[in-house]
Amino acid sequence: MSQNDKPDFVNTELWNLYRGRFKSPVTEASYRSDITEFCCFTGKSFERTDKEDVERYFRRMEKRIEKGEISPLTVTKKFRELHSFARFLKEEGEVCAEDYFYPYLKNMKKEDRLAKSVPVEHMDALLGAASDNIMCYAILSLMYRAGLSSTEIAALNGPEDFMYQGKDVFVFPAGRQEPCYIPEDLWEILKEYMGKREERPSLFYNRSGRRLNLMYISRMMKRYCSRAGIPFYSAEAVRNSCAFNLFAYGASSSQTAAQMGRTLQQIGRYRGAGYRDNLRRQAGALVKIKIEKP
């Protein structure tokens, strides 16, 4: 689907009017993806959405959260975008549309004003604690250096998800419209891991050979934070640190948003003077600003 295509099940004229509000193609892609996902779930056009459709979709998202397939904040993002589009259709008055999404948003998990991150010295300790397990080390590195989420990491299928463009390496996380850059130090770690892994239908797998889920990664974080002797940090906090690092080293909002797969409206949560100041203080210490192979 090109940038000019409408989402499935949505009136072309109305979508083109709505998409004019977006300042970034990343934002448009996020809305387009979530609206299309919802319409594919209901099997009907967005304008024909009823209360029961939204209730069924919400229950479906709850089950995915319980299974560790998706995070509560991701569900909040989806409902916020669906609510915005439904409100737009109602305001236009050209279709019989009601906003059945807003009531669910009232009780959903909200994002903090400033995203949580991991201090660089704690990240160094965490990587050190995981250095005897190349798979866990690679997962932490993908979060910290490439900004991939637990969901995106669990969805990777294998080496075929990575590709060269000249000398640079990129990965195509599930659900994103644009590739994600893989820094050279991270690629060295991934190559070492892929050279040792067994053939499985997923890049990362558990002892039974099955694809990892969010629960596995959460338990992994608890185990290695404890081993490192640091407070517990979530996988999302590790991932957020990638954005904080990018901003600290001068990346623009659009560059950081593209790397993280977030919108320009969301990316402001990752600007933190405290993180930047601490990074400067730690610059002369033995910390891994560039991740080394374990």
Side-chain angles (χ1 to χ4, degrees):
M1 185 182 291
S2 71
Q3 292 292 342
N4 295 320
D5 288 333
K6 66 178 180 63
D8 294 338
F9 310 110
V10 175
N11 177 280
T12 304
E13 183 178 351
L14 288 172
W15 174 251
N16 286 335
L17 185 61
Y18 183 67
R19 70 197 289 259
R21 301 181 172 197
F22 301 130
K23 298 179 180 179
S24 162
V26 175
T27 304
E28 180 186 338
S30 176
Y31 276 72
R32 185 175 62 232
S33 174
D34 287 334
I35 292 169
T36 301
E37 178 189 67
F38 173 76
C39 290
C40 286
F41 173 81
T42 64
K44 61 175 73 169
S45 67
F46 195 92
E47 294 93 323
R48 294 176 56 217
T49 296
D50 58 35
K51 189 175 182 180
E52 288 71 28
D53 292 327
V54 181
E55 171 70 16
R56 287 193 302 113
Y57 186 68
F58 176 71
R59 298 304 172 199
R60 168 61 179 156
M61 292 298 106
E62 281 194 322
K63 289 180 180 178
R64 292 189 64 191
I65 291 173
E66 290 174 4
K67 293 179 181 178
E69 296 176 352
I70 196 170
S71 75
L73 283 176
T74 299
V75 176
T76 302
K77 177 188 84 73
K78 290 177 182 295
F79 267 74
R80 186 181 295 117
E81 292 176 352
L82 293 167
H83 151 66
S84 175
F85 189 57
R87 184 178 60 183
F88 163 78
L89 294 181
K90 187 174 182 179
E91 289 172 351
E92 286 300 306
E94 298 186 23
V95 291
C96 297
E98 289 292 333
D99 179 11
Y100 297 109
F101 302 94
Y102 181 69
Y104 293 91
L105 275 171
K106 294 179 180 178
N107 298 316
M108 284 186 174
K109 183 174 177 60
K110 305 295 191 299
E111 287 188 330
D112 296 329
R113 187 186 64 81
L114 189 65
K116 293 181 172 61
S117 61
V118 182
V120 66
E121 63 274 21
H122 286 181
M123 192 67 221
D124 190 47
L126 183 59
L127 288 165
S131 61
D132 61 348
N133 187 316
I134 186 61
M135 185 185 81
C136 294
Y137 197 91
I139 290 172
L140 287 169
S141 300
L142 273 167
M143 296 172 187
Y144 187 58
R145 292 290 282 132
L148 266 64
S149 69
S150 296
T151 302
E152 290 169 339
I153 290 170
L156 293 174
N157 295 314
E160 66 273 15
D161 289 337
F162 300 86
M163 66 169 291
Y164 279 100
Q165 290 185 7
K167 294 183 178 180
D168 295 328
V169 180
F170 294 83
V171 65
F172 286 85
R176 293 206 201 181
Q177 301 296 317
E178 299 293 335
C180 180
Y181 174 66
I182 300 295
E184 185 178 351
D185 56 325
L186 172 56
W187 184 233
E188 290 300 316
I189 294 165
L190 290 171
K191 284 195 298 183
E192 179 171 334
Y193 166 69
M194 290 188 286
K196 296 178 179 179
R197 68 184 285 271
E198 299 177 8
E199 282 298 322
R200 291 287 187 273
S202 58
L203 181 62
F204 300 108
Y205 48 87
N206 60 23
R207 292 180 180 178
S208 300
R210 297 190 181 91
R211 185 183 297 274
L212 302 187
N213 57 29
L214 300 191
M215 189 64 68
Y216 180 99
I217 295 176
S218 178
R219 289 196 299 264
M220 180 195 81
M221 292 301 304
K222 291 178 181 177
R223 180 169 67 254
Y224 287 115
C225 284
S226 176
R227 183 183 296 183
I230 60 176
F232 170 70
Y233 293 102
S234 66
E236 185 165 358
V238 176
R239 181 200 182 211
N240 292 345
S241 299
C242 177
F244 278 96
N245 282 332
L246 289 171
F247 275 131
Y249 283 100
S252 67
S253 294
S254 59
Q255 289 171 329
T256 305
Q259 180 69 21
M260 300 294 294
R262 303 303 296 264
T263 66
L264 284 175
Q265 288 88 341
Q266 295 167 324
I267 208 65
R269 297 177 60 243
Y270 303 95
R271 287 188 181 275
Y275 184 92
R276 183 177 62 248
D277 292 343
N278 182 58
L279 184 63
R280 289 170 177 167
R281 286 194 297 271
Q282 298 295 334
L286 296 176
V287 293
K288 293 185 176 70
I289 303 301
K290 176 180 179 181
I291 298 183
E292 302 165 355
K293 289 195 291 185

